[in-house]
Amino acid sequence: MSTPSPGNLTAALEKLPPLESTAFRVSPEGAEFVRDGQMVVTAGPLSATRDPALLGAAPVLYAIAGRTGRDISPFSANRTEQETVFLPGTVFALWSTIDVDGRAVRLVFETEIGQTIDGETVEAFTASVRAAVTSLDPAAVPPDRFIGDIA
């Protein structure tokens, strides 16, 4: 069985409808995407989960306000992971890092170059992320998926 090429994967993902949702990743030690106002454009597909409970007790998280991720749960071996994949070329901006019960949470917005994010949107996103992360089980073990820098 052959492995699909990145171009074929991207073409398949582009056929799925965009999903506006909050997604999460574990930020690795030594992450480079850490400065407020920093922007990156993804070089390849970027996976995340819409279920923050899967991230367990990870000390640093990315919370992503996504607009065009693709829900691949129906095709996943583990549908409960609620996996979202962002396409190559997606632009992300790190807004700020907040502390939630001793955990650093980096607030990330999917954006376009030159686009501004209004304060009301930031406040609503911050409140929803704070509520989601506060409810996480501190004893849970982080997964071996959805870990990595945003780049």
Side-chain angles (χ1 to χ4, degrees):
M1 182 172 175
S2 65
T3 303
S5 72
N8 290 342
L9 175 62
T10 300
L13 289 171
E14 287 174 337
K15 293 178 182 179
L16 297 172
L19 176 68
E20 188 169 332
S21 68
T22 299
F24 297 87
R25 283 179 66 80
V26 174
S27 175
E29 227 177 278
E32 294 184 19
F33 192 52
V34 298
R35 294 184 316 279
D36 294 356
Q38 184 178 359
M39 296 180 83
V40 296
V41 178
T42 58
L46 181 81
S47 67
T49 178
R50 294 185 312 280
D51 183 1
L54 292 178
L55 304 181
V60 185
L61 302 177
Y62 289 117
I64 304 166
R67 297 180 299 126
T68 64
R70 301 316 204 255
D71 177 11
I72 65 165
S73 298
F75 315 104
S76 177
N78 189 347
R79 294 179 179 177
T80 61
E81 289 181 336
Q82 299 180 40
E83 187 169 2
T84 297
V85 174
F86 295 94
L87 298 172
T90 302
V91 180
F92 292 107
L94 177 59
W95 184 263
S96 65
T97 300
I98 61 173
D99 180 276
V100 180
D101 297 336
R103 183 188 316 245
V105 181
R106 296 187 173 118
L107 303 176
V108 177
F109 287 86
E110 180 182 348
T111 188
E112 296 173 10
I113 304 293
Q115 179 183 7
T116 59
I117 303 164
D118 66 83
E120 192 173 299
T121 299
V122 172
E123 285 180 28
F125 182 60
T126 301
S128 70
V129 167
R130 192 175 295 280
V133 173
T134 298
S135 67
L136 297 182
D137 178 0
V141 176
D144 58 357
R145 292 178 35 91
F146 312 118
I147 298 172
D149 219 347
I150 295 180

